[in-house]
CSV table of all heavy atoms in Angstrom, one decimal:
chain,number,residue,atom,x,y,z
A,20,THR,N,72.2,-50.2,61.9
A,20,THR,CA,73.2,-49.8,60.9
A,20,THR,C,73.9,-48.6,61.4
A,20,THR,O,73.3,-47.8,62.1
A,20,THR,CB,72.5,-49.6,59.6
A,20,THR,OG1,71.5,-48.5,59.7
A,20,THR,CG2,71.8,-50.8,59.0
A,28,GLY,N,71.9,-57.5,63.3
A,28,GLY,CA,70.5,-57.8,63.4
A,28,GLY,C,69.8,-58.2,62.2
A,28,GLY,O,70.4,-58.1,61.1
A,76,TYR,N,56.1,-44.9,68.7
A,76,TYR,CA,55.6,-45.9,69.7
A,76,TYR,C,55.9,-47.3,69.4
A,76,TYR,O,56.4,-48.1,70.2
A,76,TYR,CB,54.1,-45.7,69.9
A,76,TYR,CG,53.4,-46.8,70.7
A,76,TYR,CD1,53.5,-46.8,72.1
A,76,TYR,CD2,52.7,-47.8,70.1
A,76,TYR,CE1,52.9,-47.8,72.9
A,76,TYR,CE2,52.1,-48.8,70.8
A,76,TYR,CZ,52.2,-48.8,72.2
A,76,TYR,OH,51.6,-49.8,72.9
A,94,ALA,N,87.5,-55.2,81.3
A,94,ALA,CA,88.4,-55.5,80.1
A,94,ALA,C,87.6,-55.3,78.8
A,94,ALA,O,88.2,-54.8,77.9
A,94,ALA,CB,89.0,-56.9,80.2
A,98,LYS,N,88.2,-52.5,75.8
A,98,LYS,CA,88.3,-52.9,74.4
A,98,LYS,C,87.3,-52.2,73.5
A,98,LYS,O,87.7,-51.7,72.4
A,98,LYS,CB,88.2,-54.4,74.3
A,98,LYS,CG,88.4,-55.0,72.9
A,98,LYS,CD,88.2,-56.5,72.9
A,98,LYS,CE,88.4,-57.0,71.5
A,98,LYS,NZ,88.2,-58.5,71.4
A,102,GLY,N,88.3,-49.5,70.7
A,102,GLY,CA,87.9,-49.8,69.3
A,102,GLY,C,87.1,-48.7,68.6
A,102,GLY,O,87.2,-48.4,67.4
A,120,PRO,N,71.1,-29.3,83.6
A,120,PRO,CA,70.9,-30.4,84.6
A,120,PRO,C,70.4,-29.8,85.9
A,120,PRO,O,70.6,-28.6,86.2
A,120,PRO,CB,72.2,-31.1,84.7
A,120,PRO,CG,73.2,-30.1,84.3
A,120,PRO,CD,72.5,-29.2,83.2
A,125,VAL,N,70.6,-24.1,90.0
A,125,VAL,CA,70.6,-23.2,91.2
A,125,VAL,C,70.7,-21.8,90.9
A,125,VAL,O,70.3,-20.9,91.7
A,125,VAL,CB,71.8,-23.6,92.1
A,125,VAL,CG1,71.6,-25.0,92.7
A,125,VAL,CG2,73.1,-23.5,91.4
A,129,VAL,N,66.5,-22.1,94.3
A,129,VAL,CA,66.4,-23.5,94.9
A,129,VAL,C,65.2,-24.2,94.2
A,129,VAL,O,64.3,-23.5,93.7
A,129,VAL,CB,66.2,-23.4,96.4
A,129,VAL,CG1,67.4,-22.8,97.1
A,129,VAL,CG2,64.9,-22.7,96.8
A,131,HIS,N,61.9,-25.7,93.2
A,131,HIS,CA,60.5,-25.3,93.5
A,131,HIS,C,60.4,-24.0,94.2
A,131,HIS,O,59.3,-23.7,94.7
A,131,HIS,CB,59.9,-26.5,94.3
A,131,HIS,CG,59.8,-27.7,93.5
A,131,HIS,ND1,59.2,-27.9,92.3
A,131,HIS,CD2,60.4,-29.0,93.8
A,131,HIS,CE1,59.4,-29.1,91.8
A,131,HIS,NE2,60.1,-29.8,92.7
A,169,GLU,N,34.5,-47.4,74.8
A,169,GLU,CA,35.7,-47.8,74.0
A,169,GLU,C,35.9,-47.0,72.7
A,169,GLU,O,37.0,-46.8,72.3
A,169,GLU,CB,35.4,-49.3,73.7
A,169,GLU,CG,36.6,-50.0,73.0
A,169,GLU,CD,37.8,-50.2,73.9
A,169,GLU,OE1,37.6,-50.2,75.2
A,169,GLU,OE2,38.9,-50.3,73.4
A,191,LYS,N,27.4,-26.3,91.1
A,191,LYS,CA,26.0,-25.8,90.9
A,191,LYS,C,26.1,-24.3,90.5
A,191,LYS,O,27.0,-23.6,90.9
A,191,LYS,CB,25.1,-26.0,92.1
A,191,LYS,CG,24.8,-27.4,92.5
A,191,LYS,CD,23.9,-27.6,93.7
A,191,LYS,CE,23.5,-29.0,94.0
A,191,LYS,NZ,24.7,-29.8,94.3
A,197,LEU,N,37.9,-22.4,92.1
A,197,LEU,CA,39.3,-22.1,91.9
A,197,LEU,C,40.0,-23.2,91.2
A,197,LEU,O,40.0,-24.4,91.7
A,197,LEU,CB,40.1,-21.7,93.2
A,197,LEU,CG,41.6,-21.6,93.1
A,197,LEU,CD1,41.9,-20.3,92.2
A,197,LEU,CD2,42.2,-21.4,94.5
A,209,HIS,N,34.6,-24.9,81.1
A,209,HIS,CA,33.5,-25.9,81.2
A,209,HIS,C,32.6,-25.6,82.4
A,209,HIS,O,31.4,-25.7,82.3
A,209,HIS,CB,34.1,-27.3,81.4
A,209,HIS,CG,33.2,-28.4,81.4
A,209,HIS,ND1,32.9,-29.1,80.2
A,209,HIS,CD2,32.4,-29.0,82.3
A,209,HIS,CE1,32.0,-30.0,80.4
A,209,HIS,NE2,31.6,-30.0,81.7
A,214,TYR,N,27.8,-25.1,84.0
A,214,TYR,CA,27.3,-25.2,85.4
A,214,TYR,C,27.0,-23.8,86.0
A,214,TYR,O,26.6,-23.7,87.1
A,214,TYR,CB,28.4,-25.9,86.2
A,214,TYR,CG,28.4,-27.4,86.0
A,214,TYR,CD1,29.1,-27.9,84.9
A,214,TYR,CD2,27.6,-28.3,86.7
A,214,TYR,CE1,29.1,-29.3,84.6
A,214,TYR,CE2,27.6,-29.6,86.4
A,214,TYR,CZ,28.3,-30.1,85.4
A,214,TYR,OH,28.3,-31.5,85.1
A,263,SER,N,39.8,-27.2,92.0
A,263,SER,CA,40.3,-28.3,91.1
A,263,SER,C,41.8,-28.0,90.8
A,263,SER,O,42.2,-26.9,90.6
A,263,SER,CB,39.5,-28.4,89.8
A,263,SER,OG,39.5,-27.1,89.2
A,277,LYS,N,52.8,-30.6,101.9
A,277,LYS,CA,52.1,-30.1,103.1
A,277,LYS,C,51.6,-28.6,102.9
A,277,LYS,O,50.4,-28.3,103.1
A,277,LYS,CB,53.0,-30.2,104.3
A,277,LYS,CG,52.4,-29.6,105.6
A,277,LYS,CD,53.3,-29.7,106.8
A,277,LYS,CE,52.6,-29.2,108.0
A,277,LYS,NZ,53.5,-29.2,109.2
A,286,ARG,N,41.7,-22.1,101.0
A,286,ARG,CA,40.9,-21.4,100.0
A,286,ARG,C,39.5,-21.8,100.0
A,286,ARG,O,38.6,-21.2,99.4
A,286,ARG,CB,41.5,-21.6,98.6
A,286,ARG,CG,43.0,-21.3,98.5
A,286,ARG,CD,43.3,-19.8,98.3
A,286,ARG,NE,43.2,-19.0,99.5
A,286,ARG,CZ,44.1,-19.0,100.4
A,286,ARG,NH1,45.2,-19.8,100.4
A,286,ARG,NH2,44.0,-18.2,101.5
A,289,PRO,N,34.0,-24.2,104.5
A,289,PRO,CA,33.7,-25.4,105.2
A,289,PRO,C,32.7,-26.2,104.3
A,289,PRO,O,31.8,-25.7,103.7
A,289,PRO,CB,33.0,-25.0,106.5
A,289,PRO,CG,33.6,-23.7,106.8
A,289,PRO,CD,33.8,-23.0,105.4
A,293,LEU,N,37.8,-30.5,97.2
A,293,LEU,CA,39.0,-30.4,96.4
A,293,LEU,C,39.2,-31.7,95.5
A,293,LEU,O,39.0,-32.8,96.1
A,293,LEU,CB,40.2,-30.3,97.3
A,293,LEU,CG,41.6,-30.6,96.7
A,293,LEU,CD1,42.0,-29.5,95.7
A,293,LEU,CD2,42.7,-30.7,97.8
A,300,ARG,N,53.3,-42.4,90.7
A,300,ARG,CA,54.0,-43.7,90.5
A,300,ARG,C,53.2,-44.8,91.1
A,300,ARG,O,52.3,-44.5,91.9
A,300,ARG,CB,55.4,-43.6,91.2
A,300,ARG,CG,56.3,-42.5,90.6
A,300,ARG,CD,57.7,-42.8,90.9
A,300,ARG,NE,58.6,-41.7,90.3
A,300,ARG,CZ,59.0,-41.7,89.1
A,300,ARG,NH1,58.6,-42.6,88.2
A,300,ARG,NH2,59.8,-40.7,88.7
A,302,HIS,N,54.2,-46.7,93.3
A,302,HIS,CA,54.7,-46.9,94.7
A,302,HIS,C,54.9,-45.5,95.3
A,302,HIS,O,54.8,-44.5,94.6
A,302,HIS,CB,56.0,-47.7,94.6
A,302,HIS,CG,57.1,-47.0,93.8
A,302,HIS,ND1,57.8,-45.9,94.2
A,302,HIS,CD2,57.5,-47.3,92.5
A,302,HIS,CE1,58.6,-45.5,93.2
A,302,HIS,NE2,58.5,-46.3,92.2
A,344,ASN,N,42.0,-44.6,89.8
A,344,ASN,CA,43.2,-44.6,88.9
A,344,ASN,C,42.7,-44.7,87.5
A,344,ASN,O,41.9,-45.5,87.1
A,344,ASN,CB,44.0,-45.9,89.3
A,344,ASN,CG,45.3,-46.0,88.5
A,344,ASN,OD1,45.6,-45.1,87.7
A,344,ASN,ND2,46.0,-47.0,88.7
Side-chain angles (χ1 to χ4, degrees):
T20 58
Y76 168 81
K98 184 179 179 180
V125 293
V129 297
H131 299 300
E169 186 71 24
K191 294 181 174 64
L197 171 63
H209 189 93
Y214 287 85
S263 52
K277 179 180 179 180
R286 305 280 78 74
L293 163 66
R300 296 200 184 280
H302 57 76
N344 182 3

